[in-house]
Amino acid sequence: MKTLRSVADLVNAGLLPPEAAAGVAGVAGRYAVAITPYLADRLTGAAPGDPLYAQYVPAPEEAYTTPAERDDPIGDHARSPVKGIVHRYPDRVLLKPLHACAVYCRFCFRREMVGPGGEALTAEELEAALAYVRSRPEVWEVVVTGGDPLLLSVRRIESIVRALAGMGHVGVVRFHTRVPVADPLRVTPELVAALRAEGLATWVAVHANHAGELASPAAAAALARLADAGIPLLGQTVLLKGVNADAASLEALFRAMVRHRVKPYYLHHPDLAPGTGHFRPTLAEGQALVKALRGHVSGLCQPTYVLDIPGGHGKAPAAPAWVEPRDDGTAAVEDFTGTRHTYAP
Ligand SMILES: *Cc1c(COP(=O)(O)O)cnc(C)c1O
Ligand code: SF4
């Protein structure tokens, strides 16, 4: 079986009824489609209301772009000094060696940039991007993203990691990827070994949005190969209506992550990517969910709820306030049951 990449492939695989094909032909032409054989197998029998299905199978709602939605929702272009680099914060940069992914998420924040064959850096461009990092002693951490960097060959990953390790000032490399839950057999021992190098700390941030994504033996084994190699794992989640925007789904997801040694890191409010309005809850809904989790699940299971400020201004913590300081030095404090207390030092 091959990766499903077209509406015809989805119909042939039984993931779309033939009569639904015309309704998504336009959006599938505009935004890339890919479902790996592994995920297609997991989606067998799933229908539009399914949280896995909703993440990958194109929907007619994607045809509607709201006035606020934009092609470059988090302002990557405005902060790119050289091709493949986004430098927004002083001490860390994004390195985007390719714009292809194993799967294409229907809510992707970079959906106008990613796609099959999507703009991989040439050897010279990658060298120029690495030269930029080398010339910036203030860069302490390099976040390798894309696209999905774990689609690169083991040899290319190894050369990037070694180059960063050789710079001296770079202490941390962090890979952001969906491969462990989208194409877990790709996480081979050779790939895991290539992620690490002497003199550099490697972290891996795994993008997953529903407990079901971690519920297969293959995904569990991929995560275990990474964790057993001593690589700390972080969880990155997008808050999505129809996927996880309810307290029970979030709780199950974060517990599943922690069980697999993945520390929930960020819960992203969805960016203003075109055609994604049907996925987007309000900030008030997001804050209510964050409140619902507090106290009911372990602190290990609590990510930071963040909003990427449109236009390239970076991320802002978006959690509700539990503590309201007053001018007299006291504060109103809310506990996890919603009861309010006074803090008076
Ligand atoms: C999100 C992001 C980072 C990483 O931010 P952290 O808060 O360290 O996870 C770095 N650079 C850019 C441009 C980003 O968008
Ligand atoms: S894996 Fe990430 S970059 Fe790729 S389509 Fe999904 S959200 Fe977008």
Side-chain angles (χ1 to χ4, degrees):
M1 199 176 168
K2 293 198 323 235
T3 293
L4 311 178
R5 296 196 180 272
S6 67
V7 172
D9 288 349
L10 296 173
V11 171
N12 288 336
L15 287 176
L16 265 185
E19 61 274 18
V24 295
V27 294
R30 169 129 193 242
Y31 306 114
V33 173
I35 297 180
T36 56
Y38 160 82
L39 267 181
D41 185 49
R42 298 215 61 217
L43 282 168
T44 306
D50 179 276
L52 221 58
Y53 187 101
Q55 293 188 55
Y56 298 118
V57 180
E61 290 86 343
E62 293 173 52
Y64 303 103
T65 295
T66 70
E69 290 174 346
R70 30 179 109 189
D71 289 356
D72 181 17
I74 67 169
D76 281 346
H77 292 314
R79 304 284 165 153
S80 181
V82 285
K83 197 168 173 188
I85 295 282
V86 183
H87 196 172
R88 180 173 293 138
Y89 302 108
D91 75 325
R92 55 210 191 275
V93 297
L94 303 187
L95 170 61
K96 301 194 288 182
L98 81 174
H99 276 141
C101 302
V103 284
Y104 292 105
C105 311
R106 306 324 301 165
F107 49 84
C108 176
F109 66 125
R110 293 203 177 108
R111 63 189 328 203
E112 297 284 13
M113 301 172 209
V114 298
E119 217 201 328
L121 297 186
T122 63
E124 293 72 31
E125 287 167 341
L126 180 59
E127 201 32 65
L130 290 169
Y132 177 85
V133 179
R134 200 175 286 116
S135 71
R136 298 282 162 146
E138 70 274 23
V139 175
W140 174 77
E141 178 174 2
V142 176
V143 179
V144 189
T145 177
D148 197 315
L150 295 206
L151 281 199
L152 294 172
S153 67
V154 166
R155 188 184 52 77
R156 277 204 117 188
I157 291 174
E158 190 176 68
S159 77
I160 291 173
V161 171
R162 291 216 176 135
L164 296 174
M167 291 181 193
H169 61 281
V170 176
V172 179
V173 62
R174 189 202 318 169
F175 285 87
H176 278 249
T177 179
R178 210 146 167 45
V179 162
V181 297
D183 199 4
L185 293 182
R186 228 189 142 82
V187 185
T188 58
E190 293 72 31
L191 180 131
V192 174
L195 296 172
R196 302 176 64 214
E198 196 70 40
L200 189 67
T202 298
W203 291 61
V204 171
V206 180
H207 172 183
N209 304 315
H210 192 270
E213 292 179 73
L214 293 99
S216 83
L223 295 170
R225 280 192 288 280
L226 291 161
D228 287 347
I231 298 175
L233 302 178
L234 299 171
Q236 201 190 2
T237 297
V238 186
L239 182 64
L240 298 165
K241 281 206 290 198
V243 176
N244 61 17
D246 61 274
S249 295
L250 290 177
E251 178 178 334
L253 169 64
F254 298 140
R255 284 191 199 276
M257 282 184 175
V258 172
R259 285 287 285 123
H260 291 291
R261 292 179 280 172
V262 178
K263 166 71 185 97
Y265 176 56
Y266 279 155
L267 173 63
H268 291 269
H269 192 77
D271 294 314
L272 295 172
T276 63
H278 55 297
F279 282 115
R280 204 177 307 118
T282 63
L283 277 165
E285 287 165 341
Q287 290 195 339
L289 288 168
V290 170
K291 274 215 162 151
L293 283 181
R294 179 55 62 182
H296 298 280
V297 271
S298 151
L300 286 178
C301 301
Q302 313 274 348
T304 302
Y305 181 39
V306 289
L307 174 70
D308 226 303
I309 305 167
H313 305 287
K315 296 174 189 65
W322 278 270
V323 178
E324 283 168 31
R326 302 187 186 107
D327 288 343
D328 65 0
T330 68
V333 187
E334 189 176 321
D335 71 24
F336 78 98
T337 68
T339 308
R340 288 169 77 87
H341 307 269
T342 295
Y343 169 76

